[in-house]
Amino acid sequence: LEDVEAGIDLVFSTYPTLMSENGYGLVFPLDYINEPKEYSTKIFLYDKTYRTDPKPILEGCGCYTCINHTRAYLCHLHATHEILGEVLLSLHNQHHYYEFFKTIRRHITEGTFLSFKKNFLEHRYMDPKGPTQLSTNI
């Protein structure tokens, strides 16, 4: 967000792919309208707790993976060493990251980028005691 504020309009990041390779699905809120008080930034889909989870990676996500597959299926693919699990996870993570940048562009267009950035940083990374990681699952 600092780079976007400085005028950088081309961002290359391997973050979504790295998360996929390590079994994480991105689930951070794209905006802070009606955001729940508790949130996660990512979930480890290869954890056994997802073996029977019938939900998509992220409720309301419009990506191919979330529309067509469940957390349980992705967990199964990993357990059986199927590369399709990583591919489906990568599709979701790339889509979610793209949607995040789409949200950033919307805020720039609406003239609300600075307040979006402030809210994003306050809710994600800041603790009332100072700058610390909020979650150990980051």
Side-chain angles (χ1 to χ4, degrees):
L1 291 176
E2 297 292 332
D3 292 342
V4 171
E5 184 179 2
I8 295 173
D9 60 358
L10 181 63
V11 177
F12 175 80
S13 175
T14 60
Y15 181 72
T17 303
L18 289 173
M19 292 294 98
S20 303
E21 290 172 357
N22 289 292
Y24 289 96
L26 300 177
V27 296
F28 60 86
L30 299 175
D31 215 332
Y32 287 92
I33 300 169
N34 300 318
E35 181 188 349
K37 298 286 184 211
E38 295 294 321
Y39 65 88
S40 296
T41 57
K42 62 187 178 185
I43 57 174
F44 184 59
L45 287 159
Y46 299 159
D47 190 289
K48 292 177 184 178
T49 59
Y50 296 111
R51 279 192 291 198
T52 59
D53 193 336
K55 295 185 290 195
I57 297 170
L58 181 62
E59 298 282 351
C61 178
C63 77
Y64 175 84
T65 303
C66 288
I67 290 171
N68 296 291
H69 303 289
T70 66
R71 293 174 178 184
Y73 182 60
L74 291 168
C75 188
H76 162 75
L77 290 173
H78 174 70
T80 57
H81 306 285
E82 291 286 342
I83 196 161
L84 180 59
E86 187 178 316
V87 171
L88 291 172
L89 199 47
S90 185
L91 285 173
H92 165 77
N93 287 345
Q94 293 292 341
H95 175 82
H96 194 66
Y97 214 56
Y98 174 77
E99 291 297 314
F100 176 61
F101 279 93
K102 201 160 113 179
T103 301
I104 290 171
R105 286 192 301 275
R106 180 175 53 81
H107 281 287
I108 291 170
T109 301
E110 294 172 358
T112 57
F113 175 75
L114 292 178
S115 63
F116 166 76
K117 177 187 163 203
K118 180 178 182 267
N119 287 336
F120 181 89
L121 295 175
E122 284 176 358
H123 287 89
R124 286 238 193 299
Y125 301 111
M126 300 302 283
D127 183 303
K129 299 174 199 147
T132 59
Q133 293 293 87
L134 284 178
S135 175
T136 57
N137 71 348
I138 293 177

